[in-house]
Amino acid sequence: MKAKPAAAPRAPRARVRTTSIAAFVVLAALVPTTASASGTQEIEAELPYVCTLPSGRLPATVRLSANFPQRAEAGEAFTPSDVTTTVELPAQAVADLTARGAAEVRAATRLAVGVAQNSATATATWRGGAEPLALPASGPLTLTARGDVPSVAGRGDGDLTFSAGALAIDLALGAADPATADPGSLTVDCALAEEAPEQGLLATVPVGTGEPAPSGSPSSPGPVETSGAPDDAQQDRPGDREPERQSDRSPKVLEHTPGAAADRDEVPPCRYDEQHPPTDVSLNAYVTGYANVKKMKGAAYLPPSCVLIEQGLPAPGPTDPEYLIFDTVSYGNFHYREREQTPPFEATFLSFDFAPVKATMVLEQTGPLRIDSRMKMRLSDFTTITDTYVRAPLIVRVLDLEVNGTRLDVGSQCRTETSLTSKDPDPANFPGDHLVLYGRGEQIIGLPATGYLLLSGGVLSGETTIPAFTGCGTDGEDLDRLLTASVSGPGNHVKQVQGQTCAIAAPVFPSPENEGQCTEDLQPYEIPVAER
């Protein structure tokens, strides 16, 4: 393992907030505000693992990279950023997958990370997703997954350490011939090898003064609250105090770190009307989020936008001896002043790292927004795993542009030449230009849902190529090249948050027994918070 000096500024990302009921997610603004991070340590580690494949237990190599702060204060929550998990499985793994009829694989990783401070410990789960990958003709299989991870807070002074543990790799397989049987999916369980250096240590973050607290008791995340002294009748005698539990001293793992939601008067209305009457399966929701723009090394923000959704009915999927499978197809549309687009939004960035540029834009549909979900219930323990793909044909339309404080007239036809594009996992059935976002969710009986599920919401993510711009400029002034050179190109990561939907036919209003899903006038009760 090697630790590098402080990393160059990167766009920060934050954890996702899980919501409930049906979902739809869309792309964020495409021209970013610059973001910076200081006092970070960039970590790279290469660790040996042993993975259980159909052909047996085989060695594998796992490379992990992430940014951590140089230090933190007691009770201060922070989130490791730019987390990448690269797994190199041996050539035998490729043979195992091709034997099942697979030609392509999409991976989702779940890494258990031990977090320790002084004598107290906790566990965080780092989740990542990978783009579809064709199986190689020979050699090893290398899977690269990226994602967001829980925030962590030390509860006292002393080093906070992070160590890699067990790794699970969920593999969704694609058939070589669509006419043949579905190769299904496979979960590969991996354990850290005994010879792993420093038992898988990834990073050390000093917390507070670096000296352990006298009692070893960490403080709670966030501001520490100090109450007034109790009266004599209420004070505990030493012998009456309950012994401190290990869990009370453990570092705090925060699965979600939401910011502040917008006020309702700051977001556009989101309701059905006479022009858009609801049906028995109608849902509405607010969506918001961020997208990275690779050229700008920054992130852009889309404020809450309304989406109207028609949820599909489940239909039996392909047969699998280990799972009960159902497929659902739903459709959605933006809804802003009777138009299928987002509200106008502004974004400011530094073009070519020096020229301040402010643009006002909208995302505009060129066709229906489609949501495909496949739910697989494992017959052995009734755990459900759901893979969801959102396909959205969207162009970026620029309404206004300022460069270094000077307004440039872009005209009324300034837009991307085509829709935003992504690599589709099923191009034969879904040709054409469109954005693809993906999410995987898991529901274990008796536990809250994790990840993204169609019925419990969450986050979808993906990568997109921003096309060249056209029609920008008036009176002979061509601004196409300015926008194309500044923004257009591949490799732009997208992450979107969707709030609780309102089921119009069976609204749930807030009460002491239920969290609110709908307002009295049947708008979404929840306004989500965009998180990087």
Side-chain angles (χ1 to χ4, degrees):
M1 180 184 70
K2 57 180 180 178
K4 295 185 177 181
R10 298 191 185 187
R13 300 174 185 168
R15 281 293 306 157
V16 172
R17 183 183 179 200
T18 303
T19 56
S20 56
I21 312 279
F24 182 72
V25 181
V26 292
L27 179 68
L30 295 173
V31 183
T33 54
T34 56
S36 63
S38 60
T40 61
Q41 52 174 318
E42 186 172 344
I43 299 301
E44 293 183 356
E46 182 172 301
L47 300 171
Y49 271 75
V50 177
C51 297
T52 302
L53 291 147
S55 55
R57 291 170 54 83
L58 298 172
T61 299
V62 176
R63 291 183 289 274
L64 295 159
S65 63
N67 287 344
F68 289 83
Q70 292 284 7
R71 65 181 307 109
E73 296 300 323
E76 176 190 359
F78 63 86
T79 308
S81 62
D82 294 321
V83 176
T84 300
T85 303
T86 302
V87 183
E88 185 176 295
L89 296 172
Q92 183 58 47
V94 178
D96 289 346
L97 299 181
T98 54
R100 297 169 65 107
E104 184 180 77
V105 62
R106 179 190 281 269
T109 58
R110 291 174 283 138
L111 176 68
V113 175
V115 186
Q117 186 182 40
N118 304 324
S119 61
T121 61
T123 301
T125 300
W126 288 9
R127 298 177 183 272
E131 293 297 304
L133 176 71
L135 293 177
S138 61
L141 173 62
T142 301
L143 305 168
T144 301
R146 297 178 177 86
D148 298 285
V149 303
S151 298
V152 175
R155 298 204 189 187
D157 293 344
D159 287 347
L160 197 62
T161 62
F162 296 77
S163 301
L167 172 69
I169 311 168
D170 298 316
L171 302 176
L173 307 178
D177 181 358
T180 62
D182 186 346
S185 61
L186 179 69
T187 296
V188 178
D189 292 316
C190 304
L192 188 69
E194 293 182 357
E195 66 271 19
E198 301 182 86
Q199 297 181 313
L201 179 66
L202 300 176
T204 299
V205 179
V207 176
T209 63
E211 298 295 331
S215 68
S217 176
S219 62
S220 299
V224 179
E225 298 181 2
T226 304
S227 61
D231 58 38
D232 292 341
Q234 293 176 318
Q235 292 191 39
D236 293 330
R237 297 186 300 273
D240 294 336
R241 290 196 183 105
E242 182 180 348
E244 189 175 45
R245 295 170 297 176
Q246 170 79 6
S247 59
D248 295 331
R249 308 194 310 270
S250 299
K252 185 68 173 177
V253 176
L254 308 170
E255 285 295 331
H256 315 295
T257 54
D263 293 333
R264 188 158 296 277
D265 58 4
E266 297 175 354
V267 299
C270 190
R271 62 170 67 91
Y272 288 84
D273 51 33
E274 292 182 358
Q275 288 73 35
H276 301 83
T279 68
D280 290 342
V281 293
S282 292
L283 309 164
N284 51 0
Y286 284 112
V287 295
T288 185
Y290 285 94
N292 288 346
V293 177
K294 188 175 182 180
K295 282 186 175 180
M296 296 291 102
K297 302 176 184 177
Y301 168 66
L302 176 71
S305 302
C306 174
V307 176
L308 306 182
I309 305 164
E310 291 297 298
Q311 188 177 23
L313 299 176
T319 58
D320 188 304
E322 299 179 6
Y323 294 90
L324 188 63
I325 301 176
F326 293 94
D327 291 333
T328 304
V329 180
S330 305
Y331 293 91
N333 288 306
F334 285 123
H335 184 62
Y336 177 72
R337 295 184 177 178
E338 304 304 322
R339 299 175 182 173
E340 294 178 350
Q341 66 175 53
T342 68
F345 53 88
E346 286 187 354
T348 303
F349 65 102
L350 289 178
S351 181
F352 308 111
D353 294 329
F354 71 90
V357 177
K358 182 171 72 173
T360 303
M361 300 169 290
V362 297
L363 296 178
E364 185 179 289
Q365 286 179 232
T366 61
L369 312 177
R370 175 170 172 141
I371 309 163
D372 288 271
S373 297
R374 171 165 289 181
M375 187 198 77
K376 302 171 63 176
M377 178 183 290
R378 192 158 51 212
L379 298 177
S380 59
D381 58 6
F382 301 107
T383 294
T384 59
I385 298 171
T386 303
D387 294 297
T388 299
Y389 294 89
V390 176
R391 295 174 171 92
L394 299 169
I395 63 169
V396 182
R397 186 176 294 279
V398 180
L399 306 179
D400 195 44
L401 185 67
E402 288 184 11
V403 178
N404 203 23
T406 300
R407 184 178 181 275
L408 303 179
D409 190 354
V410 296
S412 60
Q413 301 299 320
C414 183
R415 47 159 287 180
T416 51
E417 290 182 341
T418 62
S419 170
L420 304 166
T421 59
S422 303
K423 181 180 179 182
D424 198 294
D426 189 5
N429 289 317
F430 301 98
D433 296 326
H434 50 267
L435 168 71
V436 179
L437 299 177
Y438 168 77
R440 165 169 282 205
E442 183 176 285
Q443 175 73 68
I444 300 174
I445 290 180
L447 296 177
T450 59
Y452 180 88
L453 298 175
L454 184 61
L455 295 180
S456 64
V459 167
L460 290 90
S461 62
E463 288 193 357
T464 188
T465 295
I466 304 170
F469 284 80
T470 185
C472 304
T474 59
D475 299 328
E477 185 176 22
D478 186 358
L479 301 177
D480 294 346
R481 288 182 294 176
L482 171 64
L483 287 167
T484 298
S486 301
V487 177
S488 301
N492 304 288
H493 180 73
V494 181
K495 173 183 171 182
Q496 295 294 288
V497 182
Q498 164 260 318
Q500 168 78 54
T501 60
C502 171
I504 306 302
V508 177
F509 303 111
S511 69
E513 294 77 26
N514 296 302
E515 293 185 2
Q517 298 179 7
C518 305
T519 63
E520 292 297 330
D521 59 349
L522 299 182
Q523 296 192 72
Y525 185 81
E526 182 181 16
I527 301 171
V529 178
E531 300 168 356
R532 299 180 192 268

